[in-house]
Amino acid sequence: MARWFAFRSLPWKLGSLVAAAALAVAVADGLLVHRLSHDRMLGEGRARAMSSLTQEISTHERTGAEMRDVIIDPAEMPPEVAAIGRSGQEGVWYDERVRNGPRMWAVRPLDGGGVVAAWVDMSAERRSLRALDRNLVGAGALALAVVVPAGILVALRLRRRVRGAAATARRIADGDLDARIGATGRVHDEITEMAAAVDTMAAALQERLRAERSFTADVAHELRTPLMGLVTSAELLPEGEATGFVRDRVGVLRALVENLLEISRLDAGVERADLAPVPVGEIVAESVRRTGLVARVEVDGAPVAETDPRRLDRIVANLVINAHRHGSPPVEVRVAADGGDVVVTVRDHGSGFPDELLAELRADGPRRFRTGTPERGRGHGLGLTIAAGQAAVIGARLRFANTPDGGALVTLRLPASDSPTIDAAG
């Protein structure tokens, strides 16, 4: 209801426009009818006054009878009427100053000198004109009472269609590419065209993303077989400095292919979490240890979360590796209970996320093949993308921020559990 009364809302704007248009039409029509009726009233009054005067003069000239319904003495006439007579011309004049009602005067000069004038009462005509004005006002108010609500109803229907289309567009922007607006009305209007365009865009975007994901998965699968041969061949090389370099690069390539395969599975939505109550502190400490990187781990109490330990290990490992790769030591990992959740934070002491990159992370989440290093462009790589995907699988929330004193801060929030825990190694 509050939105309905907002001055910038569509119903308010369209209702105001309809009301203004209806009021303008009513006022214009009323003024036109009033003017035409007023002019007709004056014309009829002039004709009556002149006819009365002509009849009196005619009767006097024909029979010599005394003119009783006319005024001969200029002193008894309004000054304007006397002035017309003294000019030597006949004419009429409308006098609204009379207390008992307006009069229409007719004046004519006499052949032997002097003037003669007669008047007719216009009170009835003025009352008729005022009654007409009241009827016009009533008709205008009735028209407004009918037209304005009708315009508001139309605006409400349009707003409902536009808001429905906007809600669907937001769902598409949030990643629900199956959302469609569909037909928004029986009439093929601009809103229907907009809905069709958005649906077409969503379908094209969905198909493009599906093709890109399929391409990524196909490339990773195609690379896996020759890569395994390459790994085997590298292991057979004689020991030496060149062999160590080759094995290192092959290991990097193998990790990249495995990451691509993992992302393709996450994109396909086939991953399912194996949830169980686990001691988060132990899982996190073991995950950090297996990375082989230095990080200070702090655990407050013995928090337990309902989660998938394997996927939690994958998330924490990627966050720690990313902190070392793009931040600066020391890297700090903290596990603590917070209300009904278990919170895992990973912090480094580097320059933090760039503002533009942080806005992207908060709005759209991590993007693949973005690393944040100057030589490879801004952004982040596959590590954060995998972490975000695995967090979505286990129902966790991943948040990115910068600390006030410098450094990047990533917060993983897991739902707590009151159930008995399983062994961390399990």
Side-chain angles (χ1 to χ4, degrees):
M1 184 62 68
R3 291 184 178 180
W4 191 93
F5 286 105
F7 291 139
R8 295 183 178 180
S9 66
L10 182 61
W12 177 266
K13 291 180 178 179
L14 190 54
S16 300
L17 180 62
V18 171
L23 182 61
V25 171
V27 170
D29 288 346
L31 291 176
L32 179 61
V33 173
H34 173 85
R35 184 63 182 175
L36 292 175
S37 300
H38 184 266
D39 292 344
R40 186 182 64 180
M41 179 194 74
L42 293 181
E44 292 176 352
R46 294 188 189 99
R48 286 174 51 205
M50 188 60 70
S51 176
S52 177
L53 179 61
T54 301
Q55 185 176 0
E56 287 288 338
I57 294 175
S58 220
T59 302
H60 172 71
E61 291 177 348
R62 188 174 63 255
T63 63
E66 182 180 357
M67 294 185 292
R68 297 180 179 180
D69 296 329
V70 298
I71 299 175
I72 300 177
D73 187 359
E76 298 180 7
M77 305 176 190
E80 294 82 359
V81 176
I84 294 174
R86 286 194 296 269
S87 68
Q89 298 178 349
E90 66 177 20
V92 294
W93 185 70
Y94 184 59
D95 188 3
E96 294 184 292
R97 299 170 301 183
V98 182
R99 179 179 301 178
N100 296 330
R103 296 175 178 178
M104 181 65 74
W105 287 82
V107 60
R108 178 182 295 178
L110 297 175
D111 294 338
V115 295
V116 61
W119 58 271
V120 294
D121 185 25
M122 299 290 291
S123 299
E125 285 79 1
R126 186 170 67 177
R127 286 193 297 270
S128 298
L129 184 61
R130 289 179 175 176
L132 176 63
D133 291 341
R134 289 192 297 270
N135 291 333
L136 290 174
V137 171
L142 180 61
L144 288 175
V146 173
V147 172
V148 173
I152 292 177
L153 289 176
V154 173
L156 288 173
R157 184 171 181 270
L158 291 176
R159 185 187 68 170
R160 185 164 55 250
R161 295 171 62 193
V162 171
R163 290 180 64 183
T168 304
R170 284 191 292 269
R171 288 173 55 194
I172 295 172
D174 292 338
D176 184 7
L177 297 183
D178 291 325
R180 296 292 184 271
I181 300 174
T184 59
R186 299 177 182 176
V187 181
H188 186 77
D189 55 9
E190 287 78 3
I191 297 180
T192 305
E193 293 180 1
M194 179 196 69
V198 172
D199 287 348
T200 302
M201 177 195 68
L205 180 61
Q206 185 178 37
E207 184 60 31
R208 181 174 179 179
L209 289 177
R210 185 182 293 113
E212 290 181 356
R213 291 171 178 175
S214 177
F215 175 77
T216 301
D218 291 343
V219 168
H221 281 288
E222 291 295 329
L223 288 176
R224 196 171 193 180
T225 300
L227 179 62
M228 295 307 298
L230 188 60
V231 171
T232 302
S233 300
E235 293 296 331
L236 297 176
L237 292 175
E239 297 295 333
E241 182 177 354
T243 299
F245 178 78
V246 170
R247 290 174 179 173
D248 176 71
R249 294 297 90 191
V250 170
V252 172
L253 181 59
R254 180 178 184 179
L256 175 60
V257 172
E258 293 297 329
N259 287 339
L260 289 175
L261 288 172
E262 184 174 358
I263 288 177
S264 67
R265 290 193 299 270
L266 292 171
D267 287 341
V270 299
E271 296 288 284
R272 295 294 181 267
D274 186 11
L275 301 179
V278 297
V280 179
E282 297 178 23
I283 295 292
V284 170
E286 179 63 19
S287 177
V288 173
R289 186 190 65 79
R290 279 202 295 264
T291 63
L293 300 172
V294 177
R296 185 168 65 237
V297 180
E298 296 181 9
V299 182
D300 294 345
V304 178
E306 187 83 14
T307 188
D308 187 327
R310 181 177 63 84
R311 298 182 191 279
L312 176 59
D313 170 76
R314 182 71 165 139
I315 295 171
V316 173
N318 279 10
L319 294 180
V320 172
I321 293 172
N322 188 79
H324 274 276
R325 182 175 297 169
H326 302 294
S328 298
V331 174
E332 301 172 352
V333 182
R334 186 171 183 271
V335 183
D338 182 14
D341 296 333
V342 177
V343 178
V344 181
T345 58
V346 179
R347 176 191 174 180
D348 63 61
H349 288 75
S351 58
F353 296 112
D355 292 339
E356 184 178 355
L357 177 59
L358 187 60
E360 283 186 10
L361 288 169
R362 289 173 173 173
D364 304 321
R367 298 181 184 177
R368 62 196 68 179
F369 299 114
R370 300 276 189 128
T371 65
T373 55
E375 63 273 15
R376 291 186 61 185
R378 61 183 178 86
H380 29 84
L382 298 178
L384 291 184
T385 303
I386 293 174
Q390 295 290 8
V393 172
I394 63 176
R397 288 169 289 171
L398 203 59
R399 296 290 182 269
F400 304 90
N402 289 327
T403 59
D405 54 345
L409 176 66
V410 183
T411 302
L412 177 68
R413 187 172 290 270
L414 303 162
S417 173
D418 295 330
S419 305
T421 63
I422 64 172
D423 187 81

